[in-house]
Amino acid sequence: MNNIDDIMIKFKKVFESTPQALYFAPGRVNLIGEHTDYNGGHVFPCAIQYGTYLAIRSRKDQKIRFYSENFDHLGIIEESLDYLVKHDERSWTNYPKGVMKVFIEQGYSIPFGFDLYYVGNIPNGAGLSSSASIELVTSMMLNEEFSFNLDPIELSLLSQRAENTFVGVNSGIMDQFAVSMGKKDHAIFLNTDTLQYEYAPLNLNGYTIVVTNTNKKRGLADSKYNERRAQCEEALKRLNQKLDINSLGDLSIETFEAHRDLIGDDLLYRRAKHAVYENVRTLEAKKALEMGDLKRFGELMNDSHRSLRDDYEVTGIELDTLVELAWSQEGVIGSRMTGAGFGGCTVSIVKDEFVPNFEERVGKGYQKRVGLTASFYHVVPSDGARKIKEVNE
Ligand code: GLA
């Protein structure tokens, strides 16, 4: 965890002035309900203790000066509020710039600029929502500094809009919602169609949520993500010839299978099948957790992975190897890929006393089969985006 005083000191070094306030937004891990959020289905993520800090000082002009400790080789990046455009070489700044642009477009005027110092401890590109974390820490900061009085759900929707329209990834609402609305010791059971949600206590006494990073660089993930989404939309369109539904999340397994011929294409059928079955699994997983039936919860996690591997085809050798190794270890309740896929991380629920063994064996087996070194994190369900310090001058 980054030391708060340390961030304040580093801000001074970089910008030669003192910061006024410090904000934090977490990352998230999704327990189950993958690739269901843009299909009107349910998701079951929780915010985690890792995230992004943002120290700020307001300016008197229109300049935004960005600095990220994670991309310190880029130095200070200077932009202007009058000209916020996507920039490929300064890619991390596209997230906060996108957020600012969306705020302005939506009528939340930003009258002056800022010096902004970001530092995050979420591994980049690991599927733990480092981008949504940067978006939300920025949204939260703008909301507080300009007293826009937007609630955390509105902030998550504005941030998602930035990701969709500025960054160009057609992501659903899960990441931004979880990052904004996270609650300590709870997972969020969210209906992505209605945005109705419920906090589900995660009483994992005696168990650890282990996130394992493939450390595979994710090439082309965004375009493949958009392609999956388009395939689901096409399947829905074909089902709409006879079925009056708004999304794949409206379908029971029985209705879906009874109308599968309408889709008329095996690939599209399998994509839609994942979305429909995964939504049903997520509903069941929530119930299993309520009943204290962790064993069933774990089985559903495993089924989710198989479906993402075989029908949705977003896993790959790295994720599959990690998950298969996890399945064969003692003390493992369930294991699956988490996030968009194509690399990134797996999430496993492991009995405490078996965690060291799990990490050693999965780590070694992965290195041997894939040739990469996995990293392990123990994540704790945590609170959402917040202001953590105000400096009174
Ligand atoms: C990414 C997206 C989310 C969601 C997941 C897959 O994290 O940002 O909206 O679609 O992939 O479940």
Side-chain angles (χ1 to χ4, degrees), residues 32 44 189 200-204 280-301 333:
I32 193 161
F44 207 11
F189 181 68
L202 260 187
N203 296 322
L204 292 177
V280 173
R281 271 190 290 272
T282 308
L283 293 160
E284 213 196 306
K286 155 83 171 13
K287 280 198 194 121
L289 196 69
E290 269 166 7
M291 314 274 290
D293 190 351
L294 260 193
K295 186 167 171 282
R296 180 71 193 131
F297 192 87
E299 284 165 4
L300 291 160
M301 287 175 77
I333 298 298

Side-chain angles (χ1 to χ4, degrees), residues 18-32:
T18 43
Q20 287 166 332
L22 183 66
Y23 294 85
F24 176 78
R28 67 95 190 90
V29 66
N30 189 21
L31 299 175
I32 193 161

Side-chain angles (χ1 to χ4, degrees), residues 179-239:
V179 166
S180 188
M181 296 288 289
K183 183 171 168 177
K184 191 171 181 290
D185 298 331
H186 290 76
I188 309 171
F189 181 68
L190 171 69
N191 177 332
T192 62
D193 186 33
T194 60
L195 293 191
Q196 275 182 335
Y197 68 96
E198 215 181 291
Y199 288 117
L202 260 187
N203 296 322
L204 292 177
N205 283 341
Y207 297 89
T208 305
I209 305 175
V210 182
V211 167
T212 310
N213 193 347
T214 58
N215 285 317
K216 185 209 167 190
K217 290 271 157 284
R218 287 201 296 182
L220 294 178
D222 292 353
S223 62
K224 287 188 201 150
Y225 181 94
N226 288 347
E227 181 191 271
R228 292 298 180 284
R229 184 170 181 154
Q231 288 166 338
C232 287
E233 280 161 7
E234 178 58 29
L236 175 65
K237 211 165 101 192
R238 296 184 185 190
L239 289 164

Side-chain angles (χ1 to χ4, degrees), residues 28 30 32-39 43 127-129 131-132 160 163-164 169-176 218 225 229 274 278 308 312 336-341:
R28 67 95 190 90
N30 189 21
I32 193 161
E34 214 66 84
H35 289 279
T36 47
D37 65 347
Y38 50 85
N39 284 310
V43 293
L128 300 176
S129 290
S131 31
Q160 181 201 13
E163 177 109 16
N164 295 167
V169 182
N170 281 327
S171 56
I173 189 61
M174 171 171 73
D175 301 350
Q176 289 81 5
R218 287 201 296 182
Y225 181 94
R229 184 170 181 154
H274 167 76
E278 179 78 352
L308 289 156
Y312 219 60
R336 57 182 288 278
M337 59 150 270
T338 186

Side-chain angles (χ1 to χ4, degrees), residues 14-15 19 47 63 78 102 161 169 177 204 308 314 350 355 373:
V14 170
F15 290 117
K63 279 185 199 158
E78 198 172 299
V102 165
R161 188 188 275 259
V169 182
F177 198 98
L204 292 177
L308 289 156
V314 291
V350 186
V355 170
T373 306

